[in-house]
Amino acid sequence: MTAPDLRSRDAAVIDIGSNSVRLVFYRIEGRAIWTGHNEKVLAGLGREVTSTGKLSRAGVEAARTALKRFRVLLDAIAPAEVHVVATAAVREAEDGPDFCDRVAADTGLKIRVLTGEEEARYAALGVLAGSPLAEGLAADLGGSSLELVPVGGGRVGHGLTLPLGPFSVKDAADPAGLLGETLGSRSELRAPMIHAVGGAWRALALLHMRQTRHRLEIVHQYEMSRRDISDLSRLLSLQSEDSLNRLAKLAKQRAATLPHAARVLTALCERAGADRVSFSAYGIREGLLLDTMPEAVRGLDPLVEGCRALGARAALSEGFDRSLAAWLKGALEGQKTHFPPERAARLVEAGSALADVGARLHPDHRANVAFEQVLRAPVPGMDHLERAFLAVAVHARYGGGSLPEEVLATRLLGREGLDRARILGLALRLGSDLSGRAPSLLNATRLTREGEVLVLRAARPQADLLLGEKVAKRLGALAQALGLTARLEAA
């Protein structure tokens, strides 16, 4: 089997939505997608489509101005891959084709107007780009429309588009009726989990974090229950626009859509039978990028590949992380974890990929800075619990003392979860210090659990690796954390 092409490349996506016009530059490293520059203008193109059938005049001018600037940026940066797409507002407006022609004359940009089916598909692919294990219903709320697509097993199903964006309905409209009628005849659109996409829903998640004092303000894979959504919807329905701006600290245009966004999500949970909502920071733009990746690359785990790309920037030896993950298998396999066995193995791979993430940091601050970096890194494919787990592991890998965010980490992981994360960190530290991060030396040793003993073996001529106080100390610390005794053995 040919190895997937993991060479990095630059890409850009211009997303012309009903509410915002956005340009994002990406660096793609295999399966890892990194945002380099993200710029948007809340033009409100679709604000008047329902009432007049045409794009907002002010929105057209704001969009054309933004796109002229974006053209200059594209020319300067010259990414290898460029996508320019428009969604519901341009698709449905009478003057949508005229708008595309004017943009082409202004900038030379050729806009691809997505069909409703394409818009839904790319939104669902975006969910999978950020969380390949996602199961349930991908739902993307834009300014003019709501896209619904079932996802599961790494694949997207057949979706549909509904006119439920804030620009498509009156403020007093209740979305429950339309959703009930549609979902009642589409059993595949009923699911216990909704994966929510779109700026207004991301704003809801941030607002809920602030209301509950959740210190890890990262939207991606943040979860809320159906009751949380319903309670927040009731709260927002009582607020004036000024109160919403103060409450959410958001742009005026976005704050005005929050009550509607909450009503739609509440109704969707009820009609789809969903108990929980997971918010995705990825959407149409990332779905477009995932769609262009070769199948072999798409099948890789974005958590492991993202951590590998992050750790590789400071790594001393190429391929050490893979050797480290394999080396740890005999010692850590079978221990009690917070995660299913397959997921626990992936987290060991991800932790191994991060073993060098602090190599170029100041040694006096390395553990704490590496902890913060991993906790908040824009790496997809992990929920908040997994973020905390890997951050605590990296902190222990660098011999950290008190955690910078101990209250947050304890709240997410519990005391037992903290202990399990530290065990992984101590194992990473042992393997790294034993071998000097040289894969060949690490591969010359074996770490195994034999009854109540943790045994580290090395064969000659590398047996002298076991000499010295540091190796014994690192092995002893890991054995103690596992409730075992330690033994060094030269074969």
Side-chain angles (χ1 to χ4, degrees):
M1 180 178 177
T2 304
D5 185 355
L6 301 180
R7 289 174 295 183
S8 65
R9 71 185 193 280
D10 293 328
V13 180
I14 294 178
D15 178 6
I16 304 170
S18 301
N19 193 30
S20 64
V21 177
R22 188 186 295 263
L23 166 67
V24 185
F25 286 105
Y26 296 94
R27 169 62 58 84
I28 302 175
E29 296 177 311
R31 182 61 171 77
I33 302 173
W34 305 96
T35 299
H37 177 78
N38 189 331
E39 183 174 339
K40 72 175 178 181
V41 173
L42 291 172
L45 270 175
R47 192 178 293 117
E48 300 169 9
V49 171
T50 300
S51 58
T52 69
K54 296 183 178 182
L55 299 171
S56 159
R57 285 189 179 184
V60 167
E61 293 310 309
R64 289 176 66 192
T65 299
L67 291 167
K68 288 175 184 177
R69 169 176 159 76
F70 294 171
R71 172 81 267 182
V72 175
L73 293 172
L74 285 170
D75 288 342
I77 296 173
E81 183 179 324
V82 178
H83 303 270
V84 184
V85 297
T87 54
V90 177
R91 178 173 68 241
E92 296 168 4
E94 296 173 15
D95 55 348
D98 178 65
F99 170 76
C100 294
D101 290 342
R102 295 170 72 184
V103 168
D106 289 340
T107 65
L109 296 172
K110 304 297 184 183
I111 298 173
R112 176 186 173 190
V113 181
L114 300 180
T115 66
E117 184 177 348
E118 288 173 330
E119 186 176 351
R121 177 174 177 271
Y122 285 126
L125 283 174
V127 168
L128 294 179
S131 179
L133 301 179
E135 299 274 345
L137 183 63
D140 181 6
L141 182 67
S144 295
S145 62
L146 170 67
E147 279 70 47
L148 301 175
V149 186
V151 295
R155 299 185 179 278
V156 304
H158 294 290
L160 77 164
T161 298
L162 298 173
L164 280 172
F167 296 155
S168 296
V169 298
K170 296 185 181 298
D171 291 339
D174 182 1
L178 179 57
L179 283 168
E181 179 182 338
T182 303
L183 272 62
S185 61
R186 296 282 299 271
S187 60
E188 74 277 14
L189 297 179
R190 295 182 59 81
M193 175 73 83
I194 290 170
H195 300 274
V197 178
W201 280 347
R202 288 193 292 269
L204 286 180
L206 283 170
L207 177 57
H208 187 259
M209 291 180 202
R210 291 165 187 169
Q211 292 291 96
T212 59
R213 298 185 180 181
H214 182 76
R215 292 174 58 88
L216 185 55
E217 286 195 5
I218 294 176
V219 168
H220 193 62
Q221 292 189 245
Y222 179 70
E223 291 191 11
M224 292 174 63
S225 68
R226 183 200 294 195
R227 181 173 179 178
D228 291 335
I229 298 293
S230 179
D231 289 347
L232 187 57
S233 181
R234 281 194 293 270
L235 172 67
L236 291 171
S237 69
L238 301 174
Q239 307 301 312
S240 67
E241 190 171 328
D242 288 342
S243 295
L244 286 171
N245 281 314
R246 289 194 299 271
L247 188 66
K249 297 181 181 178
L250 299 165
K252 182 178 179 181
Q253 298 97 319
R254 184 72 79 194
T257 68
L258 288 182
H260 174 79
R263 284 198 303 272
V264 172
L265 191 52
T266 299
L268 183 58
C269 286
E270 292 172 356
R271 299 304 186 183
D275 297 318
R276 299 198 65 77
V277 175
S278 176
F279 295 85
S280 176
Y282 283 19
I284 287 174
R285 294 180 295 276
E286 292 76 19
L288 285 161
L289 298 179
L290 183 68
D291 198 41
T292 65
M293 292 181 185
E295 193 66 33
V297 176
R298 285 178 58 177
L300 298 174
D301 188 329
L303 166 60
V304 175
E305 296 305 311
C307 289
R308 193 164 281 152
L310 189 64
R313 295 167 191 176
L316 296 183
S317 302
E318 185 176 354
F320 175 69
D321 66 291
R322 290 177 172 82
S323 294
L324 182 58
W327 184 80
L328 291 174
K329 187 175 181 181
L332 299 183
E333 192 173 43
Q335 74 155 329
K336 185 177 178 182
T337 73
H338 261 43
F339 310 97
E342 183 179 349
R343 195 60 184 164
R346 289 299 177 97
L347 289 170
V348 171
E349 285 188 71
S352 299
L354 294 168
D356 268 351
V357 74
R360 299 184 186 183
L361 300 175
H362 192 287
D364 292 346
H365 308 285
R366 185 177 286 152
N368 288 353
V369 174
F371 172 90
E372 294 286 356
Q373 185 177 0
V374 172
L375 185 68
R376 293 179 168 84
V379 173
M382 58 177 164
D383 60 23
H384 284 206
L385 189 151
E386 293 168 338
R387 283 182 175 277
F389 184 86
L390 290 173
V392 172
V394 168
H395 188 261
R397 180 264 179 271
Y398 286 111
S402 299
L403 286 170
E405 295 271 13
E406 185 143 9
V407 172
L408 171 64
T410 304
R411 178 180 173 184
L412 289 169
L413 293 170
R415 184 55 55 185
E416 184 178 358
L418 288 175
D419 291 342
R420 298 299 171 188
R422 288 183 176 122
I423 286 171
L424 174 57
L426 292 172
L428 297 175
R429 195 174 197 205
L430 169 62
S432 299
D433 288 353
L434 167 69
S435 63
R437 281 106 86 197
S440 61
L441 294 180
L442 188 66
N443 294 338
T445 70
R446 288 186 62 202
L447 182 68
T448 58
R449 296 177 66 161
E450 300 179 6
E452 299 300 310
V453 183
L454 184 65
V455 182
L456 177 59
R457 290 186 174 88
R460 298 192 182 282
Q462 281 82 21
D464 287 351
L465 276 176
L466 305 183
L467 299 176
E469 180 183 352
K470 176 178 278 191
V471 173
K473 184 177 179 180
R474 298 286 185 261
L475 178 64
L478 176 58
Q480 183 179 14
L482 288 167
L484 308 173
T485 58
R487 186 170 81 231
L488 292 165
E489 188 174 295

